[in-house]
Amino acid sequence: MPTVPPRRTPGPGLDFVELPGGEFLMGDPFDEGYPDDGERPVHRVVLAPFALAATTVTNADFAAFVAATGHRTDAERYGSSAVFHLALRAPRRDVRGQAPRTPWWLEVAGADWAHPGGRDSSWQERPDHPVVHVSWDDALAFCRWSGTRLPTEAEWEYAARAGHRGRRYPWGDELTPDGRDLCNIWHGAFPHRNTLSDGYLTTAPVGAFPPNDVGLYEMSGNVWEWCADWFSPAYYRRSPRHNPLGPRSGQARVIRGGSYLCHDSYCNRYRLAARSANTPDSSTGNCGFRVVRDRAPAIVTPTSSTTTTPAC
């Protein structure tokens, strides 16, 4: 894989990085992930060429999609979505409850992609930030409109590693080399005090942090990113070597990359090998997506929906 950003080609409001495909080692070489996430064994994967968006889809990108199609997101149809407690911008009466095991998540009436903190917020205040409060199903609808698709989990990790073998993070093995914050994650005592040393309490504008060595931004932190695959912690033990697509069925879809809420005291899933999952109709204030443009016909995956399980 090249070690300098290759030529980018324009897409539907997005820039794409052409990736050559090839073989890489997928999984956690340090054996430091959560056992239930199934980050091991490390295994060889061979991928066909593809083009991945340099950034996640932004609020402005998603607004163009909504204007063109009239799409209503799952959060809008359900009437609420999950908002981090310090990001709430709505009357307290809009709070319908808290997640039982993760009480920093509030279920907020009127929270959706256009109102990320609740009714008193607007996407127009941050058009260049990642769109959030979008479900897997919403992301798939955007892909159908834009002629793109979601990356497979293997494609996501291959692109994030950018040709480097066995790294923890896109830039190396140290989280803050020379004291520099190179991604948007939680700094301080989670979940009540954030030092804001990286500049952001919640999302950062796309491209706010340095790209990896092929020109992809925020592959660690900022927002979780939906992948095409169903999730199974046992999948790596039987994953095919060539272009794996994930299990044939499941209850939740893979999410990758971590978010602004990840902290090693609770969730160190901003590592390149880290995996998590959520149900396809779920939406939260820290999950978005980026898209792939194929050289061959797009990969088609089945759909499903179950219950909400917010990630960190």
Side-chain angles (χ1 to χ4, degrees), residues 62 65 71-75 133-142:
F62 201 80
F65 157 63
H71 179 80
R72 293 186 71 230
T73 60
D74 282 333
H133 297 294
V134 285
S135 69
W136 187 93
D137 296 320
D138 297 326
L140 196 65
F142 179 94

Side-chain angles (χ1 to χ4, degrees), residues 51 61 71 78 84 87 134 153 190-191 195 209 215 231 237-238 252 272 300:
D61 296 327
H71 179 80
Y78 297 152
F84 180 59
V134 285
E153 182 178 19
F190 184 83
T195 66
F209 293 86
F231 175 81
R237 295 199 293 270
R238 61 179 186 274
L272 293 178
V300 177

